[in-house]
């Protein structure tokens, strides 16, 4: 259900408020004017704003502010003139103020398609045909804690901040770290539940919404499917179930960022037991489904050695064109003078990798994020590490700037409509 902010005529609000609450929505604000709505957007972070279409509660500035924050805006028009003015400004979701509350609920739960910057006008884009967008991003790295989880969380936050509907998945069969990183409950592993439902054909939009946890941020909220807290449940993450769960998520979200395990071994095949559950099946399934694989390594002699060996294994399972190499914690204290050049030279010489992404060492920002259980974007917005992650997202994961600019206002409405559905 959605978090709603209301700015309506008292008679209209009184008529629909009880139905909204009964439907399970959370009312985070009830204000009287357009300026009050603008003031509450960053403070309360609503998913949907429902306003009257009159000049007192709606204008182009409010629409732009909601689009900038990825907040869906719905207007209730009392007259044909109000409806026409709202549509002229660019708002596509306008309902009659005297409509039955069930009509508003139907709009909140789905509603008619609106133009999207990723598809043709009036048609919601087919995820399987987004050739210019990396819908599923798998974050992999060799053993030794190279920063997979930090990178995955950072990518999810930056994609969400760019106005996209994002899911962050913890598919590490050796023990998930995303839930404690973001201060979320981990008693019930969300991704394991999704895989179990996918195995029985019961995973749908409603179930995804039920088992997901929400990381809330004023301009960069995203859904989180937490991982395993111990080894007892890894057999639930079979390759078929993980593949199906990611397929359903891909249809629901624009971006699915998956934190996978480090191991690329097939232990059960080595022991000649083809029927045994495979602990690394979830990793192989996520790598196979990914449009983009982010291979993360540490910028020190040991970390680079592990990355080079791991990358040689990775390309046996993943097309090299789908792999982006990211080297984390680049610092002179571990590599000497001109650490960036030394990393690039090592990767080029031993693996032929010429376009690796280098992330600076920023312990203070990383510590602040861990201490406050927030993303880098929220805990240290001016951090060099956060800036490097944002640059990578802009350059490698998002569509070209021209495509991003198309239908901005309409896309903001579509994003929140999908999130509330």
């Amino acid at each position: 259900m959605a978090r709603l902010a209301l700015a309506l005529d008292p008679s209209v609000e009184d008529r629909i408020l009880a139905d909204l609450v009964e439907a399970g929505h959370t009312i985070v604000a009830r204000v009287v004017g357009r300026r009050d709505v603008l003031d509450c957007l960053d403070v309360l972070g609503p998913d949907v704003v429902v306003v009257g279409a009159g000049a007192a509660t709606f204008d182009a500035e409010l629409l732009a502010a909601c689009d900038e924050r990825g907040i869906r805006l719905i207007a209730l028009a009392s007259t044909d003139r109000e409806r026409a003015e709202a549509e002229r400004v660019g708002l596509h979701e306008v309902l009659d103020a005297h409509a039955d509350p069930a009509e508003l609920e139907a709009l909140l739960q789905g509603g008619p398609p609106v133009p999207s910057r990723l598809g043709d006008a009036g048609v919601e884009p087919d995820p399987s045909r987004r050739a210019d967008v990396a819908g599923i991003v798998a974050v992999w790295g060799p053993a030794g804690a190279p920063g997979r989880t930090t990178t995955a969380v950072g990518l999810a936050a930056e994609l969400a901040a760019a106005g996209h509907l994002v899911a962050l998945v913890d598919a590490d069969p050796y023990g998930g770290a995303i839930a404690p990183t973001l201060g979320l409950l981990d008693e019930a592993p969300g991704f394991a539940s999704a895989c179990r439902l996918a195995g029985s054909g019961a995973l749908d939009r409603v179930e995804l919404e039920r088992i997901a946890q929400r990381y809330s941020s004023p301009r960069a909220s995203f859904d989180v499917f937490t991982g395993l807290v111990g080894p007892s449940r890894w057999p639930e993450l079979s390759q078929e179930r993980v593949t199906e769960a990611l397929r359903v998520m891909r249809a629901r979200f624009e971006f699915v960022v998956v934190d996978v395990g480090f191991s690329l071994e097939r232990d059960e095949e080595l022991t000649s037991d083809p029927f045994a559950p495979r602990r690394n099946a979830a990793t192989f399934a996520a790598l196979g489904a990914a449009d983009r694989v982010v291979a993360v390594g540490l910028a020190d002699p040991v970390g680079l050695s592990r990355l080079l060996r791991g990358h040689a294994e990775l390309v046996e399972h993943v097309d090299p064109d789908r792999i982006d190499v990211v080297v984390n914690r680049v610092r002179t204290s571990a590599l000497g003078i001109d650490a960036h050049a030394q990393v690039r030279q090592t990767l080029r010489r031993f693996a032929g990798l010429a376009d690796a992404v280098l992330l600076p060492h920023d312990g203070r920002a990383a510590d602040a994020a861990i201490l406050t259980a927030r993303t880098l974007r929220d805990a240290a917005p001016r951090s060099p590490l956060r800036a490097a992650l944002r640059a990578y997202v802009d350059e490698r994961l998002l569509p070209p700037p021209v495509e991003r600019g198309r239908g901005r206002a309409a896309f903001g409405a579509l994003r929140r409509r999908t999130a509330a559905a």
Side-chain angles (χ1 to χ4, degrees):
M1 296 297 104
R3 291 164 50 85
L4 306 181
L6 307 179
L8 299 166
D9 181 271
S11 61
V12 176
E13 181 179 296
D14 291 343
R15 186 171 58 83
I16 67 173
L17 184 59
D19 293 271
L20 292 174
V21 173
E22 185 177 353
H25 302 294
T26 301
I27 310 301
V28 299
R30 298 167 62 189
V31 296
V32 296
R34 174 181 53 81
R35 179 53 55 184
D36 295 329
V37 179
L38 289 168
D39 291 341
C40 82
L41 295 181
D42 287 332
V43 176
L44 300 175
D47 297 320
V48 185
V49 173
V50 183
V51 301
T57 50
F58 170 76
D59 65 2
E61 180 185 5
L62 177 59
L63 178 60
C66 288
D67 285 340
E68 180 182 353
R69 294 159 175 79
I71 296 173
R72 185 182 175 198
L73 181 63
I74 297 175
L76 304 184
S78 299
T79 65
D80 291 341
R81 181 175 180 178
E82 288 183 352
R83 176 184 291 273
E85 179 62 20
E87 293 177 348
R88 184 192 67 79
V89 170
L91 182 62
H92 295 268
E93 295 187 295
V94 184
L95 194 64
D96 192 299
H98 305 290
D100 189 271
E103 294 184 46
L104 176 58
E105 179 60 23
L107 190 61
L108 289 169
Q109 292 292 342
V114 298
S116 166
R117 65 174 169 183
L118 296 176
D120 296 330
V123 181
E124 187 170 351
D126 180 358
S128 65
R129 304 180 68 177
R130 295 173 187 159
D132 58 346
V133 176
I136 298 180
V137 181
V139 181
W140 171 88
R148 291 186 302 271
T149 299
T150 298
T151 302
V153 171
L155 295 182
E158 297 304 329
L159 288 167
H164 294 276
L165 193 64
V166 178
L168 176 60
V169 173
D170 193 335
D172 186 351
Y174 292 88
I178 285 178
T181 296
L182 295 177
L184 302 175
L185 297 176
D186 58 4
E187 284 84 356
F191 189 55
S193 299
C195 290
R196 187 173 62 254
L197 290 166
S200 61
L203 185 62
D204 55 17
R205 174 182 57 80
V206 175
E207 291 296 332
L208 283 175
E209 180 179 317
R210 181 181 64 82
I211 62 182
Q213 296 191 54
R214 186 76 171 167
Y215 175 80
S216 297
S217 176
R219 299 189 186 183
S221 298
F222 52 88
D223 285 345
V224 181
F225 295 87
T226 56
L228 305 177
V229 296
S232 60
R233 297 185 63 177
W234 63 262
E236 295 182 38
L237 305 185
S238 69
Q239 187 156 354
E240 295 77 12
R241 289 179 174 183
V242 171
T243 300
E244 176 62 15
L246 292 177
R247 185 194 67 79
V248 176
M249 290 181 181
R250 185 188 178 98
R252 161 72 171 156
F253 300 95
E254 289 179 277
F255 287 93
V256 182
V257 181
V258 189
D259 184 5
V260 303
F262 67 90
S263 179
L264 298 177
E265 297 177 354
R266 296 185 182 271
D267 301 334
E268 298 78 12
E269 295 177 7
L270 294 176
T271 58
S272 301
D273 187 354
F275 303 105
R278 285 156 169 72
R279 186 163 190 174
N280 300 323
T283 298
F284 287 117
L287 293 176
D291 302 288
R292 180 65 50 185
V293 175
V294 180
V296 183
L298 275 179
D300 57 45
V302 175
L304 288 174
S305 176
R306 287 173 169 169
L307 175 61
L308 290 170
R309 291 193 180 96
H311 183 268
E313 292 184 60
L314 183 63
V315 296
E316 296 178 5
H317 307 285
V318 179
D319 184 348
D321 291 338
R322 291 194 286 130
I323 300 174
D324 287 340
V325 173
V326 173
V327 182
N328 193 21
R329 297 184 63 190
V330 179
R331 59 206 187 278
T332 58
S333 60
L335 295 171
I337 299 174
D338 201 355
H340 287 73
Q342 292 199 47
V343 170
R344 294 190 185 281
Q345 182 179 0
T346 299
L347 295 176
R348 187 181 298 111
R349 177 181 178 184
F350 293 102
L353 300 171
D355 59 348
V357 177
L358 307 188
L359 303 180
H361 176 55
D362 193 352
R364 179 175 297 180
D367 288 347
I370 288 293
L371 179 64
T372 59
R374 295 188 296 169
T375 64
L376 278 168
R377 184 184 181 278
D378 290 335
R382 299 181 183 274
S383 156
L385 176 56
R386 185 254 164 160
L389 286 170
R390 180 177 58 186
Y392 168 74
V393 167
D394 288 342
E395 295 170 7
R396 306 283 185 96
L397 300 184
L398 293 179
V402 173
E403 293 297 320
R404 277 182 255 166
R406 292 173 55 192
R408 178 182 178 88
F411 178 74
L414 173 62
R415 180 182 181 275
R416 278 297 123 200
R417 177 175 65 78
T418 309

